[in-house]
Amino acid sequence: MERKGRAFALRLAGLCALMLLLPGRARAEEWLRADSDHLVVFSNAGRTAITTFADQIETYDAFLRAYLGVPPGGPRQQKLRVYLLAHGSDVKVLWPSSGTVAGFYDHSADEPFLVVTYQRPRIKTDANKDEVKADGTAYHEYTHFFQQAHFPSGYPGWVIEGYAQFLQTIRVENGSVVLGHSSPGLVWFAQQAWLPWDKVLRGSTGTIARDEWFPFYGQAWVLTHYMMSDPTRAAAFNRYLVAVSQGGDPVTSLTAALGVDLPTLSRQLQQYYRDVLRVQRIGWRMPTPPTVTVTPLSPAEAALILPDARSRYFVRDNDKADFVAKLRAAAAPFGSDRFALLAAARADAKYGDAKRAEATLAPLLAAHPDDADALLLRARARLRQADESKDPAAADAYRRAAAGDLDAALAAGSTDPLTYYYAATVREHQPDYPTRTDIAYLGKALQLEPQSQEIRLSTADALLKVKRRAEAMLLLQPLLNDPHDDDARKSATKLLERYPETTAR
């Protein structure tokens, strides 16, 4: 029951210029970890860079909560893992076939994570203008992460992208936040020959041709900017979002909310982009300064952090054997170091010899039988052996052993969403699946990691099995409307096709 498939959820903006400009990198490179309320950041770009990054994103998170009406606190969720890398070549370790990509965001791996390439800032200032911060793409991607966590509704692709682009040029100043500035990249998108608006309103990067992505992004930004720049239009925007989240047509719902036909709206948008592009200043202060704790990584962590990150992310089939061999060779000098053992076991459990993963974990679990991370990894190794076994009795034995590991991990206090996910889906082969407990475990996993496509699909599948279709539809709408991930839409559509229309209970 290893997580099947992979939604390659790369963001177009990340492919173009995912670079964060921060204060100068420390001369001596060392690997550091920064922990804050919503982030875990790993970086070799220096203490100032990692602290500044975490502080900026936590400030942005606080503003989003105030701006969008998300109360502080709430159910605990998985933190976003960020790799703030000092060199473009570091990205190649995580994604060897990436070409010149400066970074990317993915929410289909073991946990959502963001890769950002560090650059020394080269910011030009003008006495008559505010200093322009160049960390817009990090804000853009964090907006997607935030939306997936707090607003996982069935919004059209243009809304998801346009809103992130509208917010990515945020400027936090003393006592206020400025929204609505443009950027060279956004302007370039908007200057492309515009697509018909019905195509933009109903489309996404998964449904339109690749050579039409740039105008799609540009028009999504202009339309969102237009809707958010005026209180009356903002109210109409909210009515539109309610209508489409309830199944309304993306085109007719918008024209009804605004009270204009599509040709009139198109002319208004062209004029708005050429002549207005209103910037808003909102009074706001960070309630309390973010708390960011920075610690150095151990030698084993520093040596293995990027290979382990790739292991958590994705390895292609024809690269698996070589990847596992190299990671295990890199881990070997560190002997019984916990991180080294976990990294080697993770690589084998997912891509190599699953039985060897169990052997790697044996001394760690002998010394610390309540190590929740090791128990989860052993369960994953056993589940993979169950999936690959041709003997039904042996497969059942592996699943029972994995279930014991998962129960022990939960008893040890595991808060990893995968522990809850596997604790439920290990029982998929049982005739009474899903029980109330199974659905509760899946619900807990989704609460901790609402960005996960696989957890969302499995939870919806369990709900459909017990004829709770209305609840399943709420979970599937974000996948059906994902602006980037065509695989997500296909998976959600196929899942619905497997179940006849039923009445929720």
Side-chain angles (χ1 to χ4, degrees):
M1 209 165 322
E2 183 61 35
R3 303 179 93 182
K4 303 177 183 68
R6 176 176 171 274
F8 203 55
L10 298 179
R11 303 295 178 187
L12 180 63
L15 291 174
C16 295
L18 188 46
M19 293 189 178
L20 184 71
L21 302 192
L22 293 172
R25 177 155 44 96
R27 272 181 279 177
E29 182 173 295
E30 65 173 335
W31 277 96
L32 301 170
R33 169 176 172 151
D35 289 270
S36 60
D37 285 345
H38 305 98
L39 306 171
V40 179
V41 186
F42 301 94
S43 181
N44 58 344
R47 185 173 292 268
T48 301
I50 193 173
T51 304
T52 302
F53 176 89
D55 183 89
Q56 287 179 349
I57 299 301
E58 287 292 351
T59 299
Y60 182 55
D61 180 275
F63 170 72
L64 286 179
R65 290 173 186 275
Y67 187 60
L68 300 177
V70 176
R76 179 186 178 278
Q77 294 181 347
Q78 188 86 326
K79 294 183 180 183
L80 176 63
R81 293 176 73 94
V82 181
Y83 298 88
L84 177 62
L85 305 178
H87 317 291
S89 58
D90 294 331
V91 179
K92 301 286 287 185
V93 178
L94 292 173
W95 187 12
S97 60
S98 60
T100 58
V101 171
F104 58 94
Y105 167 73
D106 190 279
H107 60 88
S108 63
D110 283 357
E111 60 273 300
F113 75 103
L114 171 65
V115 177
V116 183
T117 303
Y118 168 88
Q119 266 197 342
R120 180 181 297 278
R122 291 186 292 273
I123 301 175
K124 296 180 180 180
T125 59
D126 186 300
N128 298 319
K129 296 181 179 179
D130 292 330
E131 184 175 297
V132 179
K133 297 170 73 69
D135 46 7
T137 308
Y139 288 141
H140 179 111
E141 302 302 345
Y142 192 80
T143 304
H144 288 310
F145 174 78
F146 190 92
Q147 286 174 323
Q148 291 165 354
H150 301 289
F151 300 97
S153 299
Y155 297 146
W158 78 265
V159 173
I160 297 171
E161 278 308 320
Y163 209 78
Q165 292 180 115
F166 174 72
L167 290 171
Q168 77 180 45
T169 59
I170 181 175
R171 300 182 186 179
V172 181
E173 301 174 353
N174 290 332
S176 66
V177 170
V178 181
L179 297 175
H181 279 292
S182 63
S183 72
L186 294 175
V187 169
W188 188 85
F189 286 155
Q191 287 175 339
Q192 307 307 300
W194 282 17
L195 304 173
W197 273 104
D198 59 343
K199 191 170 192 176
V200 173
L201 296 175
R202 291 196 176 101
S204 71
T205 54
T207 61
I208 63 175
R210 184 175 291 269
D211 60 0
E212 295 177 329
W213 284 8
F214 294 136
F216 172 81
Y217 272 75
Q219 289 172 254
W221 169 59
V222 172
L223 179 53
T224 305
H225 205 297
Y226 177 76
M227 299 297 285
M228 297 300 296
S229 65
D230 173 84
T232 301
R233 291 196 294 266
F237 194 20
N238 287 333
R239 294 195 299 273
Y240 169 76
L241 294 177
V242 171
V244 295
S245 68
Q246 295 176 347
D249 179 75
V251 175
T252 57
S253 296
L254 183 63
T255 55
L258 289 171
V260 297
D261 59 25
L262 214 52
T264 301
L265 176 61
S266 181
R267 290 193 296 271
Q268 291 174 346
L269 289 168
Q270 287 280 3
Q271 182 176 354
Y272 177 78
Y273 174 66
R274 288 195 306 265
D275 302 336
V276 187
L277 213 59
R278 179 173 174 263
V279 174
Q280 305 173 54
R281 185 178 293 274
I282 302 171
W284 180 80
R285 287 184 182 275
M286 181 71 175
T288 56
T291 300
V292 180
T293 303
V294 179
T295 53
L297 298 191
S298 71
E301 291 170 327
L304 298 168
I305 190 66
L306 288 183
D308 184 62
R310 185 182 173 196
S311 185
R312 293 168 181 269
Y313 170 47
F314 177 69
V315 179
R316 296 184 183 277
D317 287 344
N318 57 357
D319 295 334
K320 288 178 179 178
D322 183 61
F323 169 76
V324 172
K326 288 181 178 178
L327 190 149
R328 290 188 64 86
F334 299 100
S336 61
D337 179 273
R338 178 178 181 272
F339 187 87
L341 292 176
L342 291 175
R346 189 187 327 278
D348 261 334
K350 294 183 67 175
Y351 310 114
D353 184 337
K355 187 165 287 294
R356 186 171 60 188
E358 289 192 64
T360 300
L361 293 167
L364 181 57
L365 285 168
H368 304 283
D370 59 349
D371 188 317
D373 294 331
L375 288 164
L376 172 58
L377 277 177
R378 188 168 69 180
R380 295 183 73 171
R382 287 169 168 173
L383 287 171
R384 185 162 153 236
Q385 291 174 81
D387 286 344
E388 294 174 351
S389 176
K390 297 180 181 179
D391 180 351
D396 285 342
Y398 281 127
R399 292 190 185 99
R400 287 194 299 272
D405 284 338
L406 295 163
D407 288 343
L410 290 173
S414 175
T415 57
D416 191 314
L418 291 181
T419 307
Y420 290 96
Y421 172 74
Y422 289 125
T425 56
V426 69
R427 301 190 64 260
E428 281 180 328
H429 294 77
Q430 298 301 316
D432 64 339
Y433 179 83
T435 64
R436 289 177 182 268
T437 299
D438 297 328
I439 292 175
Y441 278 156
L442 288 167
K444 180 65 174 179
L446 192 61
Q447 173 205 306
L448 288 167
E449 193 179 326
Q451 299 85 1
S452 170
Q453 172 188 324
E454 186 164 2
I455 293 175
R456 189 169 290 273
L457 284 168
S458 293
T459 307
D461 181 53
L463 292 170
L464 287 167
K465 278 183 167 67
V466 295
K467 299 181 172 59
R468 291 163 61 174
R469 188 179 182 89
E471 295 168 74
M473 286 299 302
L474 288 175
L475 296 184
L476 292 175
Q477 282 299 331
L479 304 182
L480 293 168
N481 282 348
D482 193 305
H484 295 280
D485 195 345
D486 195 40
D487 287 341
R489 280 189 301 280
K490 290 178 180 177
S491 296
T493 300
K494 288 180 180 178
L495 177 60
L496 289 172
E497 290 172 349
R498 283 173 24 209
Y499 296 91
E501 187 72 32
T502 54
T503 302
R505 62 174 181 161

